Amino acid sequence: FALSPEHPEGRMFQTHAELKDSYDVVIIGAGGHGLAAAYYLARDHGVSNVCVLEKGYIGGGNTGRNTTIIRSNYITPEGVRFYDASVKLWEDLSEDFDLNLFYSKRGHYTLAHTDSDLRTMRWRAEVNKHYGVESELVGPEFIQRELPMMDMSCGGHAPVLGALHHAPGAIARHDAVAWGYGRGADRRGVEIHQKTEVTGISVMSGKVCGVQTSRGFIHTEKVLCAVAGSTPRLLNMVDLQSPIYIHPLQAMVSEPTKPWLNPIIVSGSLHVYISQSARGELVLGASLDPYELHSTRSTLDFTEGLSAHILELFPFLSHVKIVRQWAGIADMTPDFAPIMGKTPVEGFYLDAGWGTWGFKATPVAGKTMAHTVASDSIHPLITEFSLDRFRSYALTGEKGAASVGH
Ligand code: FAD
């Protein structure tokens, strides 16, 4: 970020001492989704009298805790179309921001260990291809050639029979995404207020009229709620209900090793996934913790279980040390698809239900929510993701989502 007359401090975004009395739009949550919506509202719709309120620091929620996997090889038509639009935005994002996001196209393998896994991978590959997404079912010879270091017998008990190979699969530097969107929004007039918690939302005659914060009241007629794992608490403030349930999702990284793993490897049966970051660290994740909990504590049980399964795939890693582990709180939906768009409360827009899959959706979620908020009409890419679908039983069934093995 170069120093310039408009940004003499050379900082990523300005600090505003005071909140204004009113804004055209208030966005709750300065994760990637809230910041991306602010960015596109200002850039694409000319709506810049916007503030983003964050109870902690920007990117401190799931945006800064995820394992950064980006892909579009989902199983439902609405999912594939949506995530494919996101991948296309990701590809130009560093240039768009003039900030290196370390976006790195690696290829993505979802391993099949049983005949039924193979059937699902073939199904996904066909749906993907139908919508123009590069995906194919590959056999063990292909995998062994590309990944000679992998034990194809998986310790002898879960042999790899094939995989869904998705060449566009990628990783990116997650906190840079929050900073890029934050800086871009700030430069277009959006105010970002950290350490500002929303404690209440005022609704009169079914319409939003303001938000109560830890720093005072703000008048507004439009609120976008993008708080991921805190969604049920915010919905309580406007008397809305959703079927979202919260589970911890943990991850860990190893000490850096020399580059040896280019693609991203996922095994739903073993509940593991692994990639190697630009710094050489192995980034490792698993399924959700199997209990509902609003907590970011991490556990030894997770580290032990995940390490054991990773060693089945890559036994030579037994001497590598784990250096950090953490958890985020995942806002899960029963059909593993997000909840986006308008709600029965006029002026209250929802971007939630991102569970284990929302990082990759950051650009497209920002873009489609900005459209929805600016025009008060639902963007065509997100019509199937409405809150109303749970009332009308029009569920999506997105079994291509990650870490939903339980
Ligand atoms: P967040 O980044 O969580 O931002 C919400 C913000 O709202 C937070 O900063 C929070 O402090 C703030 N907030 C909450 N309540 C209030 C309030 N009352 N007032 C003001 N602010 C408030 N997705 C993928 O696509 N690929 C992956 O590889 C992947 N791996 C993951 C691994 C882990 C361990 C975890 C936890 C998640 C993973 N995800 C992944 C999911 C992804 O991280 C999330 O879906 C995504 O980051 C959600 O972004 P967000 O901006 O909606 O939420």
Side-chain angles (χ1 to χ4, degrees):
F1 181 29
L3 299 178
S4 67
E6 310 90 74
H7 306 280
E9 299 162 63
R11 299 187 69 84
M12 293 297 281
F13 59 89
Q14 303 163 61
T15 304
H16 302 272
E18 306 289 340
L19 286 166
K20 290 197 289 198
D21 283 344
S22 74
Y23 295 89
D24 293 339
V25 181
V26 170
I27 297 177
I28 312 173
H33 286 232
L35 293 166
Y39 175 83
Y40 293 117
L41 267 173
R43 195 195 75 173
D44 298 354
H45 302 277
V47 182
S48 56
N49 183 22
V50 176
C51 74
V52 187
L53 305 179
E54 168 54 51
K55 70 175 177 183
Y57 58 94
I58 81 166
N62 288 351
T63 296
R65 292 164 188 270
N66 70 80
T67 44
T68 84
I69 298 172
I70 296 163
R71 61 184 176 89
S72 57
N73 58 350
Y74 278 69
I75 203 167
T76 61
E78 49 272 48
V80 175
R81 280 196 301 260
F82 178 75
Y83 292 104
D84 185 42
S86 209
V87 169
K88 292 193 171 111
L89 289 167
W90 275 109
E91 283 166 356
D92 296 330
L93 215 50
S94 290
E95 213 177 317
D96 204 0
F97 292 163
D98 191 20
L99 181 72
N100 188 356
L101 302 181
F102 289 85
Y103 183 80
S104 174
K105 191 172 156 184
R106 299 290 189 87
H108 182 284
Y109 289 85
T110 315
L111 303 179
H113 302 268
T114 63
D115 286 346
S116 75
D117 283 353
L118 275 178
R119 176 181 169 275
T120 310
M121 299 314 155
R122 187 183 298 281
W123 177 4
R124 277 171 69 176
E126 294 309 316
V127 175
N128 293 175
K129 280 188 258 184
H130 184 73
Y131 289 99
V133 167
E134 219 181 319
S135 264
E136 56 178 342
L137 183 69
V138 294
E141 305 75 28
F142 183 99
I143 303 167
Q144 187 72 100
R145 201 172 53 244
E146 297 298 310
L147 295 159
M149 67 298 265
M150 195 162 85
D151 176 359
M152 296 292 288
S153 80
C154 259
H157 70 86
V160 177
L161 305 180
L164 179 67
H165 179 229
H166 176 54
I171 52 174
R173 178 79 198 272
H174 46 12
D175 36 20
V177 175
W179 286 94
Y181 276 120
R183 184 178 77 172
D186 171 83
R187 285 184 174 180
R188 289 169 176 83
V190 170
E191 292 184 8
I192 299 170
H193 291 272
Q194 301 183 99
K195 295 190 189 156
T196 307
E197 180 169 3
V198 171
T199 53
I201 300 172
S202 294
V203 178
M204 273 175 65
S205 311
K207 292 184 190 171
V208 164
C209 56
V211 295
Q212 187 64 48
T213 79
S214 52
R215 292 167 57 208
F217 188 81
I218 302 171
H219 296 271
T220 186
E221 290 179 2
K222 289 188 172 183
V223 168
L224 168 59
C225 178
V227 298
S230 300
T231 300
R233 289 169 204 214
L234 270 291
L235 288 182
N236 278 343
M237 297 178 191
V238 287
D239 276 337
L240 284 179
Q241 287 187 328
S242 79
I244 289 174
Y245 50 101
I246 307 293
H247 281 246
L249 179 65
Q250 304 195 43
M252 63 189 195
V253 292
S254 75
E255 61 185 336
T257 59
K258 286 186 178 172
W260 62 272
L261 181 65
N262 193 47
I264 304 149
I265 313 291
V266 181
S267 165
S269 303
L270 298 180
H271 299 305
V272 297
Y273 59 91
I274 179 168
S275 67
Q276 189 170 24
S277 76
R279 284 191 295 210
E281 295 169 330
L282 301 176
V283 181
L284 304 149
S287 297
L288 293 166
D289 286 351
Y291 37 80
E292 288 196 54
L293 190 66
H294 293 234
S295 163
T296 52
R297 72 169 193 189
S298 52
T299 61
L300 179 61
D301 185 47
F302 163 81
T303 321
E304 285 179 343
L306 176 51
S307 303
H309 286 310
I310 283 293
L311 291 181
E312 286 170 340
L313 282 173
F314 301 108
F316 68 95
L317 294 177
S318 59
H319 64 289
V320 172
K321 295 184 182 61
I322 297 301
V323 292
R324 290 192 304 282
Q325 67 175 116
W326 66 90
I329 43 175
D331 44 332
M332 302 296 294
T333 55
D335 61 356
F336 311 118
I339 305 177
M340 302 179 75
K342 296 170 69 169
T343 69
V345 177
E346 202 178 318
F348 185 78
Y349 304 89
L350 190 58
D351 173 85
W354 290 111
T356 63
W357 48 83
F359 177 68
K360 66 181 73 61
T362 305
V364 75
K367 218 165 165 47
T368 52
M369 287 310 300
H371 167 102
T372 304
V373 172
S375 63
D376 195 37
S377 63
I378 299 165
H379 190 283
L381 265 183
I382 62 171
T383 45
E384 279 94 351
F385 301 146
S386 72
L387 177 61
D388 195 50
R389 74 179 185 273
F390 299 104
R391 213 165 43 86
S392 56
Y393 298 104
L395 300 198
T396 300
E398 188 44 88
K399 298 285 177 3
S403 307
V404 293
H406 285 289

